[in-house]
Amino acid sequence: LLAELLRKLKVIGFATSHPKSDDFFENLQNIENLRVFSAPWKELIVHNHQGSSSGEIHEVKTLPRVKGLWLGNMPELIHLGKENSQPGGPVFPNLEFLFLENCGRLENLTSSLISFRNLTNLYIQSCHRLQYLIPYSVAKNLQQLKVLDVASCERMVEIVASNIDDPENEITFSCLQSLYLSDLPRLQ
């Protein structure tokens, strides 16, 4: 009954102190907005191809309808997902809104889980381990970005990581309407 109810939801927000399992996410195929708060997770989605203790293998294929993703007060979060951990494409192929707050151990936003191609709003607050917001390779795909808001990230040195391999490493956010940078003491 719970699985059936979850499949019908468009918006879900929850706080949890429990470890997660990817089979929970499998029931969220119609979710358009996903909000996770106060979860002790190190990664948003982990692909355990060795299976669980019961021998089952849980793999989230995709959450194609998710347009908004909010992650807050997740002090253990290190990665959104390990690079190249998702065979067959991103879990969030149509993400438009990404909000990360108080994810103090988050090291980077780069993840094969997320397609940044449709991203229009990016809000990052109090993610103190981030030294750069996005790598050059991701920045090139942010052609739809309208709002960029970065605040209170103590170690942030660059918004877009330098790319010395590409002499024409100029990035233009042609749709950008709002840029807010605050309390970034190391920004160069």
Side-chain angles (χ1 to χ4, degrees), residues 136 162-171:
Y136 175 78
S162 300
N163 184 4
I164 56 175
D165 296 333
D166 187 349
E168 297 190 26
N169 60 356
E170 186 174 303
I171 301 288

Tab-separated table of all heavy atoms in Angstrom, residues 136 162-171:
chain	number	residue	atom	x	y	z
A	136	TYR	N	34.760	22.956	-15.457
A	136	TYR	CA	34.575	23.564	-16.778
A	136	TYR	C	33.673	22.709	-17.670
A	136	TYR	O	32.785	23.215	-18.346
A	136	TYR	CB	35.955	23.771	-17.416
A	136	TYR	CG	35.912	24.275	-18.829
A	136	TYR	CD1	35.662	25.617	-19.101
A	136	TYR	CD2	36.133	23.416	-19.903
A	136	TYR	CE1	35.621	26.081	-20.399
A	136	TYR	CE2	36.089	23.872	-21.199
A	136	TYR	CZ	35.835	25.203	-21.444
A	136	TYR	OH	35.792	25.663	-22.730
A	162	SER	N	39.127	26.146	-13.237
A	162	SER	CA	39.944	26.480	-14.400
A	162	SER	C	40.202	25.254	-15.247
A	162	SER	O	40.321	24.141	-14.742
A	162	SER	CB	41.287	27.060	-13.960
A	162	SER	OG	41.082	28.223	-13.211
A	163	ASN	N	40.305	25.489	-16.550
A	163	ASN	CA	40.612	24.413	-17.472
A	163	ASN	C	41.810	24.840	-18.310
A	163	ASN	O	41.661	25.557	-19.296
A	163	ASN	CB	39.411	24.106	-18.367
A	163	ASN	CG	39.671	22.915	-19.271
A	163	ASN	OD1	40.708	22.274	-19.181
A	163	ASN	ND2	38.731	22.638	-20.137
A	164	ILE	N	42.979	24.396	-17.916
A	164	ILE	CA	44.185	24.794	-18.636
A	164	ILE	C	44.352	24.026	-19.941
A	164	ILE	O	45.146	24.406	-20.786
A	164	ILE	CB	45.438	24.626	-17.761
A	164	ILE	CG1	45.544	23.189	-17.261
A	164	ILE	CG2	45.414	25.593	-16.588
A	164	ILE	CD1	46.809	22.876	-16.497
A	165	ASP	N	43.573	22.949	-20.128
A	165	ASP	CA	43.667	22.148	-21.351
A	165	ASP	C	42.974	22.801	-22.536
A	165	ASP	O	43.238	22.457	-23.684
A	165	ASP	CB	43.067	20.758	-21.132
A	165	ASP	CG	43.835	19.960	-20.098
A	165	ASP	OD1	45.044	20.229	-19.939
A	165	ASP	OD2	43.222	19.089	-19.458
A	166	ASP	N	42.065	23.723	-22.277
A	166	ASP	CA	41.311	24.370	-23.342
A	166	ASP	C	41.654	25.851	-23.354
A	166	ASP	O	41.239	26.606	-22.484
A	166	ASP	CB	39.812	24.181	-23.117
A	166	ASP	CG	38.965	24.683	-24.274
A	166	ASP	OD1	39.510	25.368	-25.170
A	166	ASP	OD2	37.759	24.393	-24.287
A	167	PRO	N	42.441	26.300	-24.357
A	167	PRO	CA	42.853	27.701	-24.388
A	167	PRO	C	41.674	28.674	-24.532
A	167	PRO	O	41.767	29.828	-24.146
A	167	PRO	CB	43.790	27.788	-25.593
A	167	PRO	CG	43.463	26.592	-26.427
A	167	PRO	CD	42.906	25.552	-25.500
A	168	GLU	N	40.575	28.214	-25.087
A	168	GLU	CA	39.395	29.064	-25.231
A	168	GLU	C	38.370	28.650	-24.186
A	168	GLU	O	37.254	28.280	-24.502
A	168	GLU	CB	38.832	28.941	-26.642
A	168	GLU	CG	39.808	29.428	-27.690
A	168	GLU	CD	39.168	29.531	-29.055
A	168	GLU	OE1	37.940	29.704	-29.129
A	168	GLU	OE2	39.899	29.430	-30.030
A	169	ASN	N	38.771	28.783	-22.924
A	169	ASN	CA	37.936	28.283	-21.839
A	169	ASN	C	36.957	29.332	-21.325
A	169	ASN	O	36.627	29.356	-20.151
A	169	ASN	CB	38.794	27.729	-20.701
A	169	ASN	CG	39.714	28.779	-20.114
A	169	ASN	OD1	39.782	29.899	-20.584
A	169	ASN	ND2	40.438	28.398	-19.079
A	170	GLU	N	36.461	30.138	-22.203
A	170	GLU	CA	35.479	31.143	-21.814
A	170	GLU	C	34.089	30.520	-21.752
A	170	GLU	O	33.671	29.813	-22.652
A	170	GLU	CB	35.477	32.288	-22.830
A	170	GLU	CG	34.582	33.440	-22.420
A	170	GLU	CD	34.712	34.603	-23.379
A	170	GLU	OE1	35.838	35.095	-23.557
A	170	GLU	OE2	33.691	34.993	-23.952
A	171	ILE	N	33.407	30.779	-20.645
A	171	ILE	CA	32.049	30.278	-20.448
A	171	ILE	C	31.110	31.477	-20.443
A	171	ILE	O	31.357	32.471	-19.765
A	171	ILE	CB	31.909	29.539	-19.102
A	171	ILE	CG1	32.867	28.362	-19.023
A	171	ILE	CG2	30.481	29.113	-18.862
A	171	ILE	CD1	32.504	27.194	-19.895
